[in-house]
Amino acid sequence: MKKLKYISYIIIMVVLLTVSAQTALAASSTWNGTVGGVSVTAQKTLLTGANGWTTYLYSRADQNINIIGYTYWTLEQYCISSGSTVYWKNYSGDYDTNDSYYSTSAYISYRTCSGQSRYKSHGNHDFAYGSQHKYPYVKVTVTR
Amino acid sequence: MYKSKQKWLIEIIFLIALVIISTGVFVSHPTFASIYPQLFSRSNQNEPKLDPTSFSAEDLSTNEASEMVQNSLKQWEEKILKGGNWVHLLYQINSEIDNRVILPDGKSMPSSYLEEGWYFINENGLVEKNLVTLKDEFETIYQQSALSGSTEYNLTFEDKLDDVEPYKLKLDRGFTQYLMEIDALHIPVKYIDTTNNNKSIKEFSFEEIYETPIQENQIAKPIQSAVVVGLFDIETGQMMMYRKLLKCVTGEQMLFEEWHLLLAETLPDAPTSVLDVLENVK
């Protein structure tokens, strides 16, 4: 099951990178560390398409840990020409217990803008194992 | 150890094969429907449903449509984007979808508002300074921002963005880019010559139909398609209106976004009130 999750993750990343090279803009930001001696990775990816943008949040661990997920996740479209936030949403957090992988995603249609927009996906991930708890902050932005 | 190395080797070969196969598949099928149909794959099985009175409608490819749109915009830009002058634009923006923006006073920003912008155009045709205000018809300001030098200040959130370079004003607010980016999907664009308030109008419309309904983050029900319309003044080339409707699988339609250009003018000077704000943010 765990291997299947990793393979799914790899397939998703291959898809994103391949697509980004051909049709869209994509960016990814990653934090690597350990919690209670277990290697963990926090990652966010943002991909722009014709009609909207998609962002993915991944929290991964080398083995099952007590808590894996995120504590908050904020998505934003900032129109640079008007200097204003035209879309904003905050998710207050979610997690799985005794698992090694957590992922979620969101698709948001574009709001129009007289110049470029900056799309931002950011927030703290959530990892706990043994007596240690970590909340790495990861931010990814794309300007289009 | 040997078995472990062999296992790793197999996994690496598997991954390389996966990358090669995936790349090959996507090069020949850019919509990669089998992996993420709900996000990226669209179908043109159904024709856009247009005004039945539009008997002069013709189908265009997105390429043809974007070329016509660009020609109109070029005509409009030549009229309005004059170096050393200010461009004053006023848009009415409407939406039935909550933008979820919470203002510093704790209130939600309405989804429909006026956007008024004063843009100083430099000799290269790029915006060098601006003051943009999102407000209601009674001049209640929701957000205001000023670009001066390379720094943009959002005066409402007291936030700033550095390293902003002079930029090209998108007088179509991204409509051309949208057309160009859906070109690979072979969606027909309906083109109609029509009239509105005695003005000759070019109307472009298309419908993106999703093979698998999209779960849009802002709407509870899955979306089946997006219907997009853009209107241009034939005489001036000005883009006057844009509308995007989202159709749910349940048949409901929602106005995702609509804008009307209410005012567009080019002036040698901006009002003192605008210049004062820009002066104070330096």
Side-chain angles (χ1 to χ4, degrees):
Chain A
M1 181 59 84
K2 187 176 159 189
K3 196 165 184 175
L4 193 64
K5 281 182 177 178
Y6 283 130
I7 290 173
S8 307
Y9 166 75
I10 289 163
I11 290 171
I12 289 168
M13 291 310 294
V14 169
V15 168
L16 291 178
L17 293 172
T18 309
V19 171
S20 68
Q22 291 178 49
T23 60
L25 295 171
S28 190
S29 190
T30 305
W31 175 90
N32 291 301
T34 60
V35 59
V38 176
S39 294
V40 294
T41 301
Q43 185 174 51
K44 290 190 183 76
T45 298
L46 202 159
L47 175 73
T48 63
N51 191 20
W53 54 292
T54 308
T55 179
Y56 300 86
L57 178 153
Y58 306 102
S59 296
R60 301 191 307 277
D62 271 1
Q63 64 180 62
N64 285 357
I65 57 177
N66 304 130
I67 289 174
I68 187 163
Y70 68 96
T71 58
Y72 84 93
W73 189 27
T74 301
L75 314 178
E76 179 184 349
Q77 180 184 347
Y78 180 83
C79 175
I80 296 173
S81 59
S82 68
S84 49
T85 301
V86 291
Y87 175 75
W88 188 89
K89 184 168 183 179
N90 185 59
Y91 292 91
S92 58
D94 190 26
Y95 62 87
D96 288 334
T97 54
N98 298 316
D99 208 338
S100 63
Y101 184 82
Y102 177 94
S103 74
T104 184
S105 66
Y107 175 82
I108 303 117
S109 294
Y110 297 127
R111 306 271 168 166
T112 65
C113 175
S114 297
Q116 288 191 313
S117 280
R118 187 187 62 190
Y119 303 92
K120 186 156 87 171
S121 167
H122 64 115
N124 290 101
H125 293 243
D126 191 0
F127 300 100
Y129 188 60
S131 59
Q132 202 171 21
H133 211 142
K134 283 191 179 174
Y135 312 96
Y137 174 79
V138 175
K139 175 178 84 172
V140 61
T141 60
V142 168
T143 300
R144 172 189 181 271
Chain B
M1 179 64 85
Y2 175 73
K3 274 189 179 175
S4 174
K5 274 186 180 171
Q6 197 178 38
K7 192 178 159 192
W8 268 106
L9 194 63
I10 290 167
E11 285 190 352
I12 288 165
I13 290 168
F14 169 76
L15 286 177
I16 291 169
L18 188 67
V19 169
I20 292 167
I21 291 166
S22 303
T23 307
V25 167
F26 299 140
V27 165
S28 54
H29 302 286
T31 57
F32 52 102
S34 60
I35 309 293
Y36 272 117
Q38 73 278 24
L39 295 178
F40 305 105
S41 178
R42 285 122 191 186
S43 145
N44 59 357
Q45 295 159 7
N46 302 323
E47 292 291 320
K49 291 165 186 62
L50 294 169
D51 178 359
T53 61
S54 57
F55 53 87
S56 63
E58 63 175 294
D59 276 352
L60 301 174
S61 68
T62 44
N63 244 341
E64 291 169 323
S66 61
E67 199 174 311
M68 287 177 74
V69 165
Q70 283 178 68
N71 288 338
S72 286
L73 286 171
K74 195 176 170 199
Q75 185 190 347
W76 177 232
E77 283 170 6
E78 282 169 3
K79 272 195 175 72
I80 199 160
L81 300 183
K82 291 180 177 160
N85 284 275
W86 290 83
V87 173
H88 179 209
L89 300 175
L90 180 65
Y91 290 97
Q92 170 68 54
I93 294 171
N94 300 319
S95 177
E96 293 174 351
I97 312 296
D98 186 0
N99 56 41
R100 298 176 186 272
V101 176
I102 308 295
L103 299 170
D105 62 5
K107 291 180 183 163
S108 298
M109 189 171 94
S111 51
S112 297
Y113 49 85
L114 292 166
E115 180 184 308
E116 181 175 32
W118 286 91
Y119 306 90
F120 180 73
I121 310 298
N122 69 16
E123 293 307 322
N124 297 319
L126 304 176
V127 176
E128 209 171 80
K129 289 185 265 190
N130 70 26
L131 181 70
V132 182
T133 308
L134 311 189
K135 60 184 184 179
D136 69 8
E137 67 270 36
F138 306 110
E139 300 292 324
T140 305
I141 294 175
Y142 302 130
Q143 290 189 64
Q144 186 172 55
S145 87
L147 172 65
S148 183
S150 61
T151 304
E152 184 167 71
Y153 301 87
N154 184 311
L155 305 170
T156 308
F157 284 97
E158 296 182 350
D159 199 5
K160 68 173 188 171
L161 186 63
D162 290 320
D163 303 323
V164 176
E165 293 182 356
Y167 65 91
K168 172 87 182 288
L169 195 57
K170 290 182 184 173
L171 294 171
D172 65 345
R173 299 178 68 92
F175 183 65
T176 315
Q177 189 175 1
Y178 193 168
L179 280 173
M180 291 166 78
E181 289 186 355
I182 59 167
D183 184 51
L185 305 173
H186 306 296
I187 295 170
V189 178
K190 287 282 183 197
Y191 169 68
I192 307 167
D193 273 344
T194 182
T195 56
N196 185 3
N197 292 332
N198 295 324
K199 273 188 179 176
S200 297
I201 305 289
K202 288 178 190 175
E203 177 181 316
F204 298 89
S205 63
F206 59 90
E207 180 171 9
E208 284 186 77
I209 299 168
Y210 307 107
E211 275 179 5
T212 305
I214 286 181
Q215 190 57 62
E216 153 59 67
N217 196 40
Q218 305 164 69
I219 298 157
K221 293 169 187 165
I223 302 302
Q224 187 70 62
S225 70
V227 181
V228 178
V229 179
L231 298 187
F232 291 76
D233 183 330
I234 288 180
E235 194 183 326
T236 62
Q238 170 190 346
M239 186 162 182
M240 305 160 60
M241 192 278 277
Y242 165 90
R243 179 186 298 133
K244 185 194 226 176
L245 292 171
L246 296 181
K247 287 186 183 174
C248 298
V249 288
T250 51
E252 283 174 75
Q253 286 193 39
M254 277 175 287
L255 179 63
F256 179 76
E257 189 181 359
E258 175 185 78
W259 59 255
H260 295 265
L261 181 57
L262 304 178
L263 173 71
E265 56 185 352
T266 304
L267 298 164
D269 292 304
T272 313
S273 56
V274 172
L275 298 175
D276 284 350
V277 175
L278 287 169
E279 189 63 33
N280 287 331
V281 298
K282 274 183 185 172

